[in-house]
Each structure stands twice: as C-alpha cells, then as structure tokens.
C-alpha cells in the first residue's frame, strides 16, 4: 500500500469535513438542531438496517467481547489520566469521548476495504455497528454526565434508555433471528434515511470546527487524548485479540479499527449535551490529521 493510495481513501472524509466547514462559515447553521436530527432520526435506521441484514455467527460473540474489553480498558486509562490531570467533570467526560470511541465507520471501514478486501470489510462493518452501539450507550451516558445540565448518574442512565438507536438495533436482531421479511419498498425507505446519517455526522463535525474558539481548547487535554486514542488503543487491541480464538483476518481488522481517530459521532454527543464541544471536536480534528501518518504505520506493522 502506497502513501498516495491511502490519501485517496481518506480524501472523501476530509472533503465532507471541508464542505461542512465552508457551509458554516458562509451561511451559519443551527448546528445543534442538525446534530439532533442525525442522532435521533437517522442513526436508529442505520443500526436497524445493519443488524437486520448481517447474519450473526459465533465469531461475533468474540468480537463483541473484544470490543467491550477494549472499551472498559480505555475507560480505565481515561479515568486514571483525568485523575492525574485534575480535570473537571465536563473535561473528564470530554476525555472519555475523545479517547474511547474510534471512527470505525466513516474512516475505518473504507481503509479495511482497501487494505484487506471485501471479506475484511464485512467484519469491519460488524465492528462499526458494535462501536456505534457502544457510543450510543456509554458515550451518551458520559456525555450526559459531564454536560451543561450536570446530570446525576441516574439521570444519565435515563437519557441512555430514551435513545431510540438501542431499540431499533434490538428490533433488527429480533426480525433477523425470526426470519421476518420486510417488504423491499419499506427497506428502500429505511436505507435512504440510514445512508444519510454518516455524511450528516461528518458535515456537523466540519461545521463545529468552523466555530471553534481555540482559546477555549485546553491543549494538554488534546495531547493526552491523542496519545490514548492513537497509541494506547491499538496496543491494547493487540493484547486483547492475542487471547481470542479468532482468525488472523478478524484480529487484523479489529486492530486497524482500534487505531482509528476519534469518532465523529462524539461531536454530536458533545453538542447535544454541552460537554466541552470545542475540546471534543478539536480532538477529533487533530487525531484525524495524525492518522494520515499513524494508519500507514499500523498497516506496516500488521504486514498488510
């Protein structure tokens, strides 16, 4: 894989960032309203379609286990980092949003497709959906906990319970396992909304970058999150999958996904709950830029 080929893979991502950035600069949108539409209206359809159309196998159990182990370990690392850096609760929540959740969908899946082909891409999609569910549960919980409303733990759990993406994912699994067929015309409508979610999320990130006030961004937190996200996460992934009864292809896909920059969805959550959105979106931007160098290095060490 050449450096130029990798640039061509990630170019669409940066193009969408740029469109959102320019649109916000020239027009000025209500960013929170757009992010709410993506979070509450579009993402649930994406989760439903993915779980409804992807057949479950025993490998998925171990993939789920690996994803959860990595998530909890990164949460622990983030907590220790926050304690050392003596953060406020919003800053702690922002560190978690930036360090724990990778951009495995908009960025990771295309990279896996190019590097490992269609078979690897199938596993990348499964991991992407699992990460999406984790973001829309743990991510929402911590974003709410550190938000402007200063929610209690109980209130944060209630916000998670009210998220429609959880129920649409479960509905997709149930319909698949019970072999209930949805009419094609309805699935086409579901797909239209689902396909709109990912580019909308990326546009919102570009818009948020356009209104960032750099003087409000604590760069020491950005640096800490960047190290956790881009270095610690893939190294932990290597250790975790080493003990899993998975084939080498799945292990490689998992490590690549774990090496991705901060998920664009975290910007949506930070905006939705007022959890240091400048810090979260700027961290996403920085880790995405660094990934231009770090992702080829990961692929090289994996022997791709």
């Amino acid at each position: 894989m050449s450096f130029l080929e990798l640039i061509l893979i990630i170019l669409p991502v940066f193009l969408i960032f740029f469109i959102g950035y320019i649109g916000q600069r020239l027009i000025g949108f209500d960013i929170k309203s757009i992010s709410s539409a993506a979070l509450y209206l579009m993402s649930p359809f994406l989760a439903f379609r993915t779980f409804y159309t992807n057949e479950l196998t025993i490998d998925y159990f171990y993939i789920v286990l690996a994803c959860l182990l990595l998530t909890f370990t990164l949460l622990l690392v983030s907590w220790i980092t926050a304690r050392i850096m003596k953060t406020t609760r919003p800053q702690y929540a922002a560190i978690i949003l930036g360090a724990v959740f990778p951009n495995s969908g908009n960025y990771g899946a295309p990279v896996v497709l190019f590097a490992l082909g269609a078979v690897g891409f199938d596993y990348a999609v499964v991991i992407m959906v699992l990460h999406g569910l984790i973001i829309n549960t743990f991510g929402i919980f911590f974003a709410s906990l550190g938000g402007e409303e200063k929610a209690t733990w109980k209130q944060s759990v209630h916000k998670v319970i009210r998220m429609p993406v959880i129920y649409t994912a479960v509905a997709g699994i149930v319909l698949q396992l019970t072999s209930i067929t949805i009419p094609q015309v309805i699935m086409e409508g579901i797909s239209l909304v689902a396909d709109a979610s990912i580019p909308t999320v990326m546009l919102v990130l570009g818009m948020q970058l356009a209104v960032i006030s750099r003087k409000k961004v604590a760069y020491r937190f950005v640096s800490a999150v960047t190290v956790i996200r881009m270095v610690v996460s893939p190294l932990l992934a290597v250790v975790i999958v080493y003990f899993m009864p998975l084939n080498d292809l799945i292990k490689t896909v998992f490590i690549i996904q774990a090496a991705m920059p901060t998920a664009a969805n975290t910007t949506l959550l930070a905006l939705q709950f007022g959890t240091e959105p400048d810090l979260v979106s700027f961290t996403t931007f920085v880790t995405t830029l660094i990934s231009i160098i770090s992702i080829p290095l990961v692929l090289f060490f994996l022997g791709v």
Side-chain angles (χ1 to χ4, degrees):
M1 175 184 295
S2 69
F3 185 78
L4 177 60
E5 289 171 330
L6 181 62
I7 291 294
L8 294 176
I9 288 295
I10 66 175
L11 183 61
V13 175
F14 284 94
L15 176 61
I16 298 175
F17 284 166
F18 184 69
I19 292 172
Y21 181 92
I22 295 298
Q24 186 63 29
R25 284 289 190 180
L26 296 179
I27 301 174
F29 295 95
D30 183 350
I31 302 176
K32 190 168 184 178
S33 294
I34 299 175
S35 70
S36 296
L39 190 62
Y40 290 99
L41 298 181
M42 302 177 191
S43 296
F45 285 93
L46 178 62
F48 174 82
R49 183 184 66 179
T50 304
F51 278 96
Y52 176 70
T53 58
N54 285 277
E55 184 181 356
L56 301 176
T57 66
I58 188 60
D59 285 334
Y60 295 162
F61 168 78
Y62 293 108
I63 294 175
V64 170
L65 181 60
C67 286
L68 291 176
L69 285 174
L70 181 59
T71 297
F72 285 122
T73 306
L74 289 174
L75 285 172
L76 177 61
V77 172
S78 298
W79 177 78
I80 293 173
T81 301
R83 294 279 292 186
I84 293 174
M85 302 185 78
K86 298 180 179 179
T87 64
T88 62
R89 190 162 75 169
Q91 290 168 341
Y92 168 54
I95 287 175
I96 287 178
L97 290 177
V100 176
F101 309 110
N103 193 349
S104 56
N106 309 15
Y107 195 163
V111 170
V112 170
L113 176 62
F114 183 84
L116 301 174
V119 178
F121 180 71
D122 289 339
Y123 293 121
V125 170
V126 173
I127 295 173
M128 175 195 75
V129 173
L130 291 173
H131 284 166
L133 286 177
I134 291 172
I135 290 174
N136 285 289
T137 50
F138 291 101
I140 290 171
F141 176 81
F142 284 103
S144 173
L145 193 65
E148 293 175 343
E149 298 179 1
K150 298 187 181 301
T152 64
W153 286 76
K154 185 177 181 180
Q155 291 170 332
S156 297
V157 171
H158 286 166
K159 289 181 182 293
V160 172
I161 294 174
R162 290 199 299 266
M163 292 305 297
V165 70
I166 300 174
Y167 304 103
T168 55
V170 172
I173 294 174
V174 171
L175 291 181
Q176 181 199 141
L177 294 178
T178 55
S179 300
I180 296 177
T181 302
I182 297 178
Q184 182 63 29
V185 65
I186 295 179
M187 280 304 300
E188 289 176 356
I190 291 174
S191 293
L192 283 173
V193 181
D195 290 338
S197 64
I198 292 178
T200 301
V201 167
M202 303 303 287
L203 284 172
V204 168
L205 177 57
M207 293 174 187
Q208 180 62 14
L209 292 173
V211 299
I212 280 180
S213 176
R214 291 195 177 187
K215 65 181 180 181
K216 295 182 180 178
V217 176
Y219 293 103
R220 65 192 184 101
F221 295 136
V222 175
S223 300
V225 171
T226 299
V227 172
I228 297 173
R229 176 73 260 136
M230 308 306 291
V231 179
V232 176
S233 178
L235 290 178
L236 287 173
V238 171
V239 175
I240 289 172
V241 296
Y242 179 80
F243 298 99
M244 294 282 179
L246 296 167
N247 62 55
D248 290 340
L249 177 60
I250 299 178
K251 291 181 179 180
T252 300
V253 172
F254 183 80
I255 295 169
I256 293 174
Q257 294 285 53
M260 289 296 133
T262 302
N265 293 37
T266 59
T267 297
L268 293 184
L269 298 180
L271 284 168
Q272 187 67 34
F273 297 103
T275 311
E276 298 282 349
D278 282 354
L279 175 57
V280 174
S281 57
F282 190 69
T283 299
T284 303
F285 179 70
V286 169
T287 55
T288 301
L289 286 180
I290 292 175
S291 70
I292 297 175
I293 303 299
S294 64
I295 296 303
L297 290 176
V298 170
L299 295 174
F300 173 78
F301 285 113
L302 290 173
V304 175

